């Protein structure tokens, strides 16, 4: 069974940093592209970042470019999101999601981890 | 930036057909994907590549594409289909590889 489990969320002050992790199991992690997607309270989905299966290709949404860094460790079956210079508007549930093979769709999602940026 | 436009809400009675649209300039060239999200839960992929249905998704869910608009159709709507629905696609240049629509709240009356 495919499982994605996020961790690392919490309360952080504006300007602070946080590192999210996503532990993958039930599939060959190194063969799949991955994404981070977030959802602010009561709002819609917002794509945050993409990383290819090898980690060689990376994309970011304009709203996080220069502040967030996506990475992965295929040996540990783990995806990461380093978030720096956090702002109140970064407050959201952060989901990691797997890309459906040969498409751009997201076929498996984790349960999400809440990040709250507040003083 | 690139935008996908969805109606904020759609309402139907049980057993009727619900149609949720998503509009975007690049949709003639880019596939669309649809997600269902119920309160407190992660999104679930219900349609990929415009009209393909993942395994485990009921046959009453279907997708279609025409020009700059894609449509999610739910035939014979059931109470359990009440949820938020999001479309997802990309712009034609690849600058914005993944964009979500604003979401549509489906209410089953």
């Amino acid at each position: 069974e495919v499982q994605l489990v996020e961790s690392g969320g919490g309360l952080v002050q504006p300007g602070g940093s946080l590192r999210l992790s996503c532990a993958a199991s039930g599939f060959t992690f190194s063969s799949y592209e991955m994404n981070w997607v977030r959802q602010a309270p009561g709002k819609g989905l917002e794509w945050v970042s993409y990383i290819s299966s090898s980690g060689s290709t990376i994309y970011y949404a304009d709203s996080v470019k220069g502040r967030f860094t996506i990475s992965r460790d295929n040996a540990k079956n783990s995806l990461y999101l380093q978030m720096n210079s956090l702002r109140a508007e970064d407050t959201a549930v952060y989901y990691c999601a797997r890309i459906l093979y040969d498409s751009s769709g997201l076929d498996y999602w984790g349960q999400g981890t809440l990040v709250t940026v507040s003083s | 930036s690139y935008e996908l436009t969805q109606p904020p809400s759609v309402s139907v009675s049980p057993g009727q057909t619900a149609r949720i649209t998503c509009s975007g300039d690049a949709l003639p060239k880019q596939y669309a994907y649809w997600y269902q999200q119920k309160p407190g839960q992660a999104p679930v992929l219900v349609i990929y590549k415009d009209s393909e249905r993942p395994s485990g998704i009921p046959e009453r869910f279907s997708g279609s594409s025409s020009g700059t608009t894609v449509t999610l159709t739910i035939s014979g709507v059931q109470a359990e289909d009440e949820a938020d629905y999001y479309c997802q696609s990309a712009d034609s240049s690849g600058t914005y590889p993944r964009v979500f629509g604003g979401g549509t709240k489906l209410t089953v009356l």
Side-chain angles (χ1 to χ4, degrees):
Chain A
E1 179 192 6
V2 172
Q3 282 199 322
L4 297 169
V5 180
E6 301 94 338
S7 61
L11 176 64
V12 61
Q13 292 187 339
S17 298
L18 214 54
R19 188 196 196 204
L20 305 184
S21 298
C22 172
S25 61
F27 65 102
T28 304
F29 180 71
S30 59
S31 297
Y32 285 85
E33 303 158 84
M34 298 293 295
N35 288 263
W36 287 99
V37 177
R38 69 184 180 183
Q39 186 169 35
K43 302 297 184 182
L45 301 173
E46 179 187 15
W47 170 76
V48 172
S49 185
Y50 157 93
I51 188 167
S52 62
S53 57
S54 66
S56 59
T57 301
I58 285 172
Y59 297 109
Y60 297 101
D62 289 346
S63 57
V64 306
K65 201 172 296 182
R67 301 187 299 122
F68 289 12
T69 302
I70 191 173
S71 63
R72 64 190 298 160
D73 185 336
N74 287 340
K76 295 183 177 180
N77 292 335
S78 293
L79 176 72
Y80 306 101
L81 186 68
Q82 177 67 43
M83 304 185 296
N84 298 331
S85 303
L86 283 162
R87 307 166 180 168
E89 54 264 37
D90 295 319
T91 294
V93 173
Y94 285 74
Y95 296 99
C96 67
R98 189 184 83 166
I99 290 184
L100 175 66
Y101 182 75
D102 193 32
S103 85
S104 293
L106 307 176
D107 63 345
Y108 282 93
W109 298 60
Q111 85 289 349
T113 187
L114 176 63
V115 172
T116 303
V117 184
S118 175
S119 55
Chain B
S1 63
Y2 179 61
E3 294 185 356
L4 296 172
T5 302
Q6 298 181 234
S9 62
V10 168
S11 299
V12 296
S13 298
Q16 290 190 328
T17 296
R19 293 181 179 84
I20 300 172
T21 59
C22 173
S23 299
D25 290 342
L27 288 176
K29 300 179 180 179
Q30 297 286 353
Y31 283 124
Y33 303 81
W34 289 95
Y35 302 88
Q36 176 194 68
Q37 186 181 33
K38 296 181 179 179
Q41 298 182 18
V44 173
L45 180 67
V46 295
I47 293 291
Y48 66 98
K49 290 187 176 180
D50 290 348
S51 59
E52 300 295 320
R53 194 173 52 249
S55 60
I57 300 301
E59 291 184 6
R60 63 180 182 273
F61 288 87
S62 63
S64 61
S65 176
S66 179
T68 59
T69 299
V70 293
T71 302
L72 172 68
T73 300
I74 310 172
S75 304
V77 167
Q78 301 181 6
E80 67 196 50
D81 299 329
E82 184 164 291
D84 293 325
Y85 291 85
Y86 296 90
C87 61
Q88 176 230 314
S89 188
D91 73 316
S92 55
S93 69
T95 303
Y96 301 98
R98 268 154 207 91
V99 177
F100 287 96
T104 299
K105 169 67 176 179
L106 174 65
T107 300
V108 182
L109 301 170

